[in-house]
Amino acid sequence: MKTIGMIGGISWKSTATYYRVMNEAAQKRLGGLHAVRCVLWSFDFAEIEERQHRGAWTELTAMMVSAARRLEGAGADFLIICANTMHRMAEEVEAEIGIPLLHIADATAGAIRNAGLRRVGLLGTRFTMEEAFYRARLERLHGLEVLIPGETDRQTVDEVIYRELCAGRVTTQARERYGAVIRRLI
């Protein structure tokens, strides 16, 4: 069994979901008491979020590269980043390590194709929706058509992510706001 290097804490709620889903898949595939073998680097998300919002992407890249190197040194066979937005520096991270980085957009594209879809809506942080690092990968490498919400809806989605999802809660109002964004995107 290979060892997964996980860069997490971006937010811890997201990391917990990655960990749970991977272990559920391992148990389903292998049966019994099997679980994934992994090493985890977990950031304090407050430090990440602050740098994101002041545009300190060079600092964030250095932090991500450092975490990736630590995971590689701890025996990881490959690396995952447990958050969409931090894939903004995935290419830089991968260039600095000697193990593969599994890009979330590639896994997402596989699921989209398996569902028989070619046009999809992208919801995420403003960085994920507005910058090219994620959307362009889906379009360029996987031939998908990717739609993003309008400006006001992007702001709504971003606010819900940072104010609620990252804190581990989702209010009824947030669900309704998201539903309205999705309906408009359709």
Side-chain angles (χ1 to χ4, degrees):
M1 180 181 297
K2 294 200 181 268
T3 301
I4 305 166
M6 299 173 62
I7 297 179
I10 325 164
S11 73
W12 73 266
K13 291 298 289 184
S14 173
T15 304
T17 299
Y18 276 78
Y19 184 75
R20 179 184 49 78
V21 168
M22 288 187 307
N23 278 292
E24 288 171 351
Q27 193 168 57
K28 182 178 179 180
R29 183 172 178 221
L30 302 172
L33 299 175
H34 286 282
V36 296
R37 184 175 295 135
C38 68
V39 289
L40 169 65
W41 178 266
S42 185
F43 284 106
D44 175 354
F45 186 55
E47 296 171 5
I48 300 297
E49 184 271 340
E50 183 273 328
R51 285 172 174 85
Q52 287 175 336
H53 285 95
R54 71 174 161 85
W57 295 105
T58 301
E59 288 178 41
L60 287 165
T61 299
M63 293 168 69
M64 293 290 287
V65 167
S66 176
R69 286 180 176 155
R70 289 172 191 242
L71 292 169
E72 182 178 23
D77 294 301
F78 63 94
L79 186 68
I80 63 170
I81 299 171
C82 302
N84 290 320
T85 299
M86 295 306 281
H87 278 77
R88 185 183 194 276
M89 65 276 300
E91 291 177 10
E92 293 93 331
V93 170
E94 190 169 30
E96 296 293 326
I97 57 176
I99 58 175
L101 184 146
L102 302 183
H103 199 292
I104 193 169
D106 299 336
T108 300
I112 292 166
R113 288 194 172 277
N114 287 343
L117 303 172
R118 304 251 324 127
R119 180 187 300 160
V120 294
L122 174 61
L123 302 182
T125 65
R126 291 182 73 92
F127 308 113
T128 301
M129 292 184 287
E130 294 175 357
E131 297 181 24
F133 68 92
Y134 196 97
R135 185 179 67 247
R137 189 172 183 110
L138 292 174
E139 293 169 342
R140 195 176 56 245
L141 293 180
H142 300 286
L144 298 172
E145 182 181 351
V146 180
L147 308 173
I148 61 169
E151 170 65 30
T152 302
D153 286 345
R154 290 194 308 270
Q155 182 176 344
T156 295
V157 170
D158 189 75
E159 287 174 4
V160 169
I161 289 170
Y162 281 104
R163 292 185 185 162
E164 293 194 26
L165 297 179
C166 289
R169 64 179 186 275
V170 181
T171 62
T172 301
Q173 180 186 17
R175 287 180 199 275
E176 290 169 0
R177 292 172 73 196
Y178 251 68
V181 168
I182 292 166
R183 285 188 295 278
R184 282 187 291 275
L185 193 56
I186 291 171

